[in-house]
Amino acid sequence: MVQAIRIAIDAMGGDNGPATVLAGADIALVRRPELRYQLFGEERAVVPLLESYPRVKAASTFTHCDVTVQMDDKPSQALRKGRWKSSMWRALDAVKKGEADVALSAGNTGALMAMSKFCLRTMAGIERPALAAIWPTLRGESVVLDVGATINADAQQLIDFAMMGGAMARALLDIEKPTVGLLNIGVEEMKGLEEVRVAGQLLREADLKHLKYMGFVEGDDIGKGTVDVVVTEAFAGNIALKTAEGTARQISTHLRDAMSRTLMGKIGYLFAKGAFQQLRQKLDPRASNGAVLLGLNGVVIKSHGGTDGVGFANAIEVGYSMAKNDFLSKINQDLSDYHRAGFARGVAAIVDEGVM
Amino acid sequence: MVQAIRIAIDAMGGDNGPATVLAGADIALVRRPELRYQLFGEERAVVPLLESYPRVKAASTFTHCDVTVQMDDKPSQALRKGRWKSSMWRALDAVKKGEADVALSAGNTGALMAMSKFCLRTMAGIERPALAAIWPTLRGESVVLDVGATINADAQQLIDFAMMGGAMARALLDIEKPTVGLLNIGVEEMKGLEEVRVAGQLLREADLKHLKYMGFVEGDDIGKGTVDVVVTEAFAGNIALKTAEGTARQISTHLRDAMSRTLMGKIGYLFAKGAFQQLRQKLDPRASNGAVLLGLNGVVIKSHGGTDGVGFANAIEVGYSMAKNDFLSKINQDLSDYHRAGFARGVAAIVDEGVM
């Protein structure tokens, strides 16, 4: 018998709430019949809709929650009103209690991060969580983290991110020993931030069993797929992610304008429709929907709030793979390798030695 | 009589040295006959080539320099061996002496920044220089700074960048009162870095005559052209710039692959050739070549080292416009407006008040 993968879902999250969530749950279930859902939300909003998705209904339990975290609630506000009883909290709590393998929400990112930390706590040996994105590249996909959780990460935190990102690449991209790069800037004089340099030296020395440290990478290496895991602190990481999204949209707009401006362009478009279709798939942000909040005692997936059923199904698939491939034991393995290697107090030592 | 615009050029800089420089100088001269060049470089490398460009020869003086800064010299190395006598230094020195309006090099970025600071010094009231890029957007072009000079800029430095970027937009993009945004991240909980918040509050309160502060922008706003000037510290700025370049290359590759994979795609390409040509122009990195090193007593332009004549001509054009539209007096005007408004000690006050 195939083991069930249990996903606890905040059915109220996202711009369209349950409509998108249930459509996505249905799509995912066709691909992965062993999925089991625990849906949390407002009864009146979810239950009637559930009737339209008999497959989802048969694979789910539903729990009514009085409180819904709003997209514009501040994290502190969301915690105050939504702790213990909101649909977002209850999904996280199901993971905490061991009743679900993964928690998933398309709701308010700040609230989800705050609640996740509060409910699930960070793993032993990890100081701060990181938000990891799956980034489509010329070679396939890479993991990029942190794209929004811990700004001003120090060297030790960057090393933690490297291990978490490595374990995620092993679980999700099925790479045995992922390559890891630290995002840095190439301007000679600067040589980047001190934290990045210290983290780099330690990762090189640690020579970990499950990841291959490749040195510094620059912004344009992300899209090239130079490494499987790109590590950075959240300010630069979030800006890189949003800038890439903006650039992709900009080029798509230019392309559409160019093709529709002349008759020849329109005719060419008709002939090359299949090619454009293929390009559209490559650029489809839904295909890489589902960021993972790493470093907690449990797997938490954040879906984009504005996605549709196809995108939400993708976020479920991310959660499915993380659970199926046992991300949590992989990251624990990496952490204990690292600590066994005696690098736990490495950062202070490096700085003291004045090597940098 | 039209006044000459005098550009001092490091003829040895860039991957192809004088060949690219002279080709670019020739192209620029056709468009702007009032350009006058002061070329610095090795006699044997430059003078024979100059014979192929009679137009450039007629508009130029040439000065032999024994030393050439190499692309892989460390800034300190470049300073040691190249101070006073390298072609890069002599171009900067011509600006310092008032013999040229602009210095231009396609050479080693770190060396150029170090030498520029050493030779020209920062302007009164400006602590650190910034490297500003011209970024093509859906609305036209924006100025993005800092993309490589000052990492970990504090609030006061970010404010300086806003004024320098504003003055550059006025000189280069011909916008009377440019809109300015501070690059930040949207994740609610984080609310960005403290320096960014303090800078934002001060810019709002200062209510400057020559720029309109619009608040925070995110990475995807750059490509949209939401504001004319995007201000950030150099680590995030450099990563944003390189990430956008990488994304553009990635999409171009996908597009080329898609169009060439099938016969229909190839036929469509033939029909839509004009449209693709138009797109290629929009994405041509040569069109936005020429970053400006701001905050010094003189205008310094950095051309991409790998560009060709067309790209180098664009960098000359940037220098031309900065000089022609009197960037230096514009930035001085902005600085004195700001200081007159009594905001010189504003950062400390804001932090002390505990407003943040």
Side-chain angles (χ1 to χ4, degrees), chain A residues 83 98 114 117 133 158 181 240 272 276 320 331 336:
Chain A
R83 201 188 310 170
K117 273 189 267 188
L158 291 173
F276 283 108
Y320 171 89
I331 173 70
S336 71

Side-chain angles (χ1 to χ4, degrees), chain B residues 27-46:
Chain B
I27 296 167
L29 205 48
V30 173
R31 184 161 177 206
R32 308 288 188 188
E34 67 268 43
L35 280 169
R36 291 297 171 269
Y37 302 126
Q38 291 157 42
L39 305 172
F40 297 90
E42 280 188 54
E43 190 161 1
R44 277 173 312 173
V46 181

Side-chain angles (χ1 to χ4, degrees), chain B residues 69-89:
Chain B
V69 172
Q70 301 301 315
M71 292 305 261
D72 54 358
D73 283 342
K74 296 220 166 100
S76 53
Q77 230 177 335
L79 259 179
R80 228 175 7 250
K81 78 176 196 193
R83 202 189 307 170
W84 323 126
K85 49 191 177 190
S86 65
S87 53
M88 187 183 274
W89 178 277

Side-chain angles (χ1 to χ4, degrees), chain A residues 71-75 108-111 113-114 117 128 131 135-138 147-152 183-193 195-196 218-224 232-255 257-259 261-262 264-272 275-276 278-279 282-283, chain B residues 71-75 108-111 113-114 117 128 131 135-138 147-152 183-193 195-196 218-224 232-255 257-259 261-262 264-272 275-276 278-279 282-283:
Chain A
M71 292 305 261
D72 55 357
D73 283 343
K74 294 222 166 101
N108 182 325
T109 310
M113 293 199 298
K117 273 189 267 188
R128 302 277 302 275
L131 191 64
W135 193 301
T137 73
L138 283 174
V147 297
T150 297
I151 54 180
N152 278 335
L183 195 57
N184 203 346
I185 68 174
V187 182
E188 284 283 326
E189 190 192 18
M190 288 306 165
K191 302 171 210 137
L193 298 165
E195 306 86 77
V196 179
E218 293 191 51
D220 53 341
D221 286 305
I222 311 177
K224 280 186 206 158
T232 187
E233 61 78 46
F235 192 80
N238 186 274
I239 284 169
L241 182 68
K242 293 272 175 68
T243 301
E245 286 170 3
T247 305
R249 253 199 311 272
Q250 184 183 354
I251 297 176
S252 302
T253 304
H254 286 318
L255 181 60
D257 288 356
M259 299 304 287
R261 196 160 291 161
T262 61
M264 294 293 265
K266 285 178 193 160
I267 295 172
Y269 176 80
L270 288 178
F271 273 101
F276 283 108
Q278 192 193 324
L279 179 70
K282 288 262 187 204
L283 301 183
Chain B
M71 292 305 261
D72 54 358
D73 283 342
K74 296 220 166 100
N108 181 327
T109 310
M113 293 198 298
K117 273 189 267 187
R128 302 279 302 273
L131 191 65
W135 193 301
T137 72
L138 283 174
V147 297
T150 297
I151 53 179
N152 279 334
L183 195 56
N184 203 346
I185 68 175
V187 182
E188 284 284 325
E189 190 192 18
M190 288 306 164
K191 302 171 212 135
L193 299 164
E195 306 86 77
V196 179
E218 293 192 51
D220 53 341
D221 287 303
I222 312 177
K224 280 185 205 156
T232 186
E233 62 77 47
F235 192 80
N238 186 273
I239 284 170
L241 181 68
K242 292 273 176 68
T243 302
E245 285 170 2
T247 305
R249 252 199 312 271
Q250 184 183 355
I251 297 176
S252 303
T253 304
H254 285 320
L255 181 60
D257 288 356
M259 300 304 288
R261 196 160 293 163
T262 62
M264 294 292 266
K266 284 178 192 159
I267 294 170
Y269 176 80
L270 288 177
F271 273 100
F276 282 108
Q278 192 193 324
L279 180 70
K282 288 261 187 206
L283 300 184

